[in-house]
Amino acid sequence: MAIILWSTRLYIIVWIILGAVSLAFGAIQNLGTSNPLYTTGQTWLGIAVTIGYAYFGLSGKNTPKAEPTMHENDQQPDDAVQNMIDEGGVNDTSMSATISTLEAKFTDEGGTTKVLKTRHELMKDIDTYNEMKEKARTERRFKEAAGYQKCLEQLDKLKQILPTEAELENQLKEAEEEMIAAADANNFDAAEKLSETVEKLQEKIKEERSEEETWLG
């Protein structure tokens, strides 16, 4: 019986010592959060605090909770599309099809949100805000100029969602080639999806041309 008690006590003592050493060494050496020694020390601290709360009969409401560490390169799932737009990562047909389904929403300085349909419409807004910004800057209304600049930055990011007519034509050509190749390979499911992409791109090109005629007229 004594052996069992002492072995338990010895285990606890060794656990406390090793955990404290891991935590202290990790803090002193400023190890990265992915380092096993750092992780061991943090885990030990969490368990030790929880045991302390339970042992002394304290409420566990304020007990620290283990949460995943977020690094600067980590991304939330909802941010992936926006980051893709920010980085200009739109090259292949499938990605272009995904972008074409997104709405180009723009919120102006007054808080009003509208959806831009074409690249020409986007460029008209960019020209308008550039003029408003320059006028505000010249008249030393710098606060207004800062607001217009934020609107311009927001509009600039929408260029990836609203490609130019030439870019749409290139995407259409690639989609048609991939559709034919998929059909020739008897991959009709892929061919059907690509056919839908072709129709959407054709519609967008018509919208761009119609907007261009209206703009020039």
Side-chain angles (χ1 to χ4, degrees):
M1 187 68 179
I3 295 176
I4 295 175
L5 290 174
W6 276 106
S7 62
T8 302
R9 292 170 182 170
L10 182 61
Y11 172 83
I12 293 173
I13 292 171
V14 171
W15 177 79
I16 292 173
I17 294 173
L18 291 178
V21 169
S22 297
L23 182 65
F25 186 80
I28 294 171
Q29 295 297 319
N30 195 23
L31 299 176
T33 55
S34 61
N35 189 284
L37 192 60
Y38 178 92
T39 304
T40 300
Q42 290 293 310
T43 303
W44 171 85
L45 179 62
I47 295 173
V49 171
T50 302
I51 292 174
Y53 270 84
Y55 181 80
F56 291 106
L58 300 175
S59 172
K61 292 182 180 179
N62 297 323
T63 306
K65 296 181 179 179
E67 297 181 354
T69 303
M70 293 295 294
H71 302 285
E72 59 181 5
N73 293 326
D74 292 344
Q75 297 180 3
Q76 294 295 336
D78 293 341
D79 294 335
V81 173
Q82 185 60 49
N83 288 340
M84 177 178 62
I85 295 169
D86 292 343
E87 295 167 6
V90 183
N91 294 313
D92 59 24
T93 303
S94 59
M95 190 66 75
S96 299
T98 301
I99 293 299
S100 67
T101 62
L102 298 177
E103 287 188 328
K105 292 183 178 180
F106 166 64
T107 303
D108 63 20
E109 69 281 5
T112 303
T113 300
K114 68 176 181 178
V115 177
L116 302 176
K117 296 296 185 181
T118 66
R119 181 62 170 259
H120 282 89
E121 187 180 1
L122 171 63
M123 295 310 298
K124 280 196 293 185
D125 278 1
I126 288 177
D127 289 343
T128 299
Y129 275 96
N130 266 321
E131 291 175 3
M132 293 166 65
K133 183 190 74 172
E134 287 304 314
K135 184 178 180 181
R137 183 183 65 82
T138 302
E139 296 176 357
R140 298 185 180 181
R141 292 181 284 113
F142 299 123
K143 187 174 182 179
E144 289 183 30
Y148 296 145
Q149 178 60 33
K150 288 182 179 179
C151 289
L152 283 167
E153 291 171 0
Q154 185 186 164
L155 288 166
D156 189 64
K157 291 179 180 179
L158 296 178
K159 288 181 179 178
Q160 288 294 335
I161 298 179
L162 298 171
T164 63
E165 184 179 334
E167 291 170 340
L168 286 171
E169 289 175 347
N170 287 334
Q171 292 174 16
L172 176 61
K173 182 180 179 182
E174 292 176 4
E176 287 175 334
E177 291 174 352
E178 291 183 17
M179 179 184 66
I180 294 171
D184 290 343
N186 295 327
N187 189 353
F188 299 115
D189 289 337
E192 179 64 26
K193 292 179 180 178
L194 287 164
S195 177
E196 294 174 0
T197 300
V198 167
E199 291 178 2
K200 290 178 181 178
L201 289 170
Q202 288 173 336
E203 186 63 30
K204 280 188 169 292
I205 290 173
K206 287 181 181 178
E207 291 178 357
E208 286 293 338
R209 288 174 180 170
S210 176
E211 184 70 22
E212 182 179 12
E213 291 173 1
T214 303
W215 197 7
L216 295 175

